[in-house]
């Protein structure tokens, strides 16, 4: 009977967590869709000469860009982290049943999101630098052709690297990660979240930078990258996604660069 009660509690916890995560992702995508519409309206006003899209950045621009990147990373990365979050909740509940300290799953999630928030800050600074160097088209938020092609090739080659393979393996094996990285208490939960987030960043950071290729706020591109990352981590043959992604990125990057070279 105690085992049945414990199993029911775990299922209840997982259901609550899934509903909460779904709510977070929906809120993130609602914000992104709203921002996309605002940008389209701004482009239309610029076309009519009512405003200009090109201007020097100030701290308000950096703050809004940082907010945009942070929300975007939440919407893209939380779905692929669901297995790890649920695994943490299950192990945490079982350890609490045996007398260990119980820690809210939200604390683990905060550690994970803290790492992606730091990445969002670095991506925002990179976008600021690209804008200042006139390497980012102000209207579409896309990198100049040679930089876009270079990013595609770099991302493709990274897909085949040992670092990518190591980080992806850690992200694909939630219980193995928890068994080797487990720390008790709130500080331990935060640390595990940070560690898992670091492996996720190590696995996906160049894929995220591909947003500069098709447009930082191109929601179709955002959804495509998010789906690719999800497939890499969750599908049984997820490593095959890496190889296919490598081939696609390098091929498109080379074709892009050669096309621009011949056009020039």
């Amino acid at each position: 009977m105690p085992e049945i009660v414990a199993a029911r509690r775990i299922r209840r916890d997982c259901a609550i967590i899934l509903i909460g995560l779904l709510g977070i992702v929906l809120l993130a995508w609602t914000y992104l869709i709203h921002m996309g519409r605002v940008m389209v309206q701004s482009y239309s006003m610029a076309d009519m000469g009512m405003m200009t899209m090109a201007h020097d950045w100030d701290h308000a621009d950096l703050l809004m860009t940082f907010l945009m990147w942070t929300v975007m990373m939440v919407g893209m990365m939380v779905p692929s982290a669901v297995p790890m979050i649920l695994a943490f909740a299950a192990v945490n509940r079982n350890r609490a049943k045996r007398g260990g300290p119980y820690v809210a799953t939200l604390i683990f999630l905060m550690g994970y999101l803290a790492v992606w928030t730091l990445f969002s800050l670095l991506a925002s600074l990179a976008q600021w630098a690209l804008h200042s160097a006139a390497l980012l088209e102000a209207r579409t938020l896309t990198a100049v052709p040679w930089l876009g092609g270079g990013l595609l090739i770099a991302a493709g080659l990274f897909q085949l690297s040992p670092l990518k393979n190591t980080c992806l393996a850690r992200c694909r094996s939630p219980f193995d990660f928890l068994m080797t990285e487990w720390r008790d208490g709130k500080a331990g939960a935060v640390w595990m979240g940070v560690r898992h987030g670091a492996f996720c960043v190590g696995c996906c950071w160049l894929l995220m930078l591909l947003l500069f290729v098709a447009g930082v706020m191109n929601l179709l591109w955002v959804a495509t990258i998010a789906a690719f990352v999800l497939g890499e981590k969750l599908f049984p043959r997820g490593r095959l996604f890496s190889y296919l992604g490598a081939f696609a990125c390098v091929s498109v990057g080379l074709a892009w660069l050669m096309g621009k070279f011949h056009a020039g």
Side-chain angles (χ1 to χ4, degrees), residues 11-257:
R11 287 196 295 269
R12 181 200 63 191
D13 288 351
C14 289
I16 293 173
I17 290 168
L18 280 174
I19 292 171
L21 293 176
L22 177 62
I24 291 172
V25 172
L26 287 177
L27 285 174
W29 276 96
T30 299
Y31 174 83
L32 292 176
I33 292 171
H34 169 71
M35 286 297 297
R37 289 175 177 172
V38 169
M39 291 183 68
V40 169
Q41 292 173 356
S42 299
Y43 298 152
S44 299
M45 294 175 67
D47 289 339
M48 293 185 293
M50 299 174 62
M51 63 177 291
T52 178
M53 295 298 297
H55 65 278
D56 293 333
W57 274 33
D58 55 24
H59 290 94
D61 292 313
L62 178 60
L63 179 61
M64 290 304 297
T65 301
F66 169 62
L67 177 61
M68 176 194 70
W69 272 96
T70 301
V71 174
M72 195 156 52
M73 290 303 102
V74 170
M76 294 176 73
M77 298 310 301
V78 167
S80 66
V82 167
M84 179 64 74
I85 296 169
L86 294 181
F88 172 84
V91 173
N92 188 38
R93 173 64 72 180
N94 281 328
R95 291 177 69 89
K97 183 184 68 173
R98 297 196 297 268
Y102 180 81
V103 179
T105 304
L106 180 62
I107 295 177
F108 174 82
L109 179 61
M110 288 299 99
Y112 175 82
L113 293 179
V115 178
W116 280 107
T117 300
L118 176 59
F119 173 84
S120 299
L121 176 60
L122 296 176
S124 302
L125 293 173
Q127 186 172 333
W128 189 357
L130 291 174
H131 177 87
S132 300
L135 297 176
L136 194 69
E137 209 282 323
R139 179 186 176 93
T140 60
L141 299 181
T142 56
V144 295
W146 67 264
L147 180 57
L151 283 174
L152 281 165
I153 294 172
L157 295 177
F158 180 73
Q159 289 292 105
L160 306 176
S161 69
L163 176 60
K164 169 74 179 192
N165 189 50
T166 298
C167 291
L168 182 59
R170 299 291 275 171
C171 291
R172 284 175 54 83
S173 306
F175 284 103
D176 288 346
F177 173 87
L178 293 174
M179 293 303 101
T180 57
E181 300 284 345
W182 187 268
R183 303 289 188 277
D184 285 329
K186 294 180 179 179
V190 171
W191 175 246
M192 286 188 288
V194 168
R195 288 278 292 170
H196 178 54
F199 281 117
C200 283
V201 170
C203 177
C204 305
W205 69 278
L206 258 173
L207 292 176
M208 298 300 112
L209 294 186
L210 292 184
L211 291 171
F212 289 121
V213 176
V216 174
M217 278 301 292
N218 183 329
L219 296 186
L220 178 60
W221 194 238
V222 172
T224 299
I225 294 176
F228 180 84
V229 170
L230 186 68
E232 270 193 320
K233 293 183 179 180
L234 299 189
F235 289 175
R237 295 185 177 273
R239 194 66 182 123
L240 179 61
F241 274 68
S242 299
Y243 299 138
L244 293 176
F247 176 78
C249 286
V250 172
S251 299
V252 173
L254 289 174
W256 192 332
L257 290 177

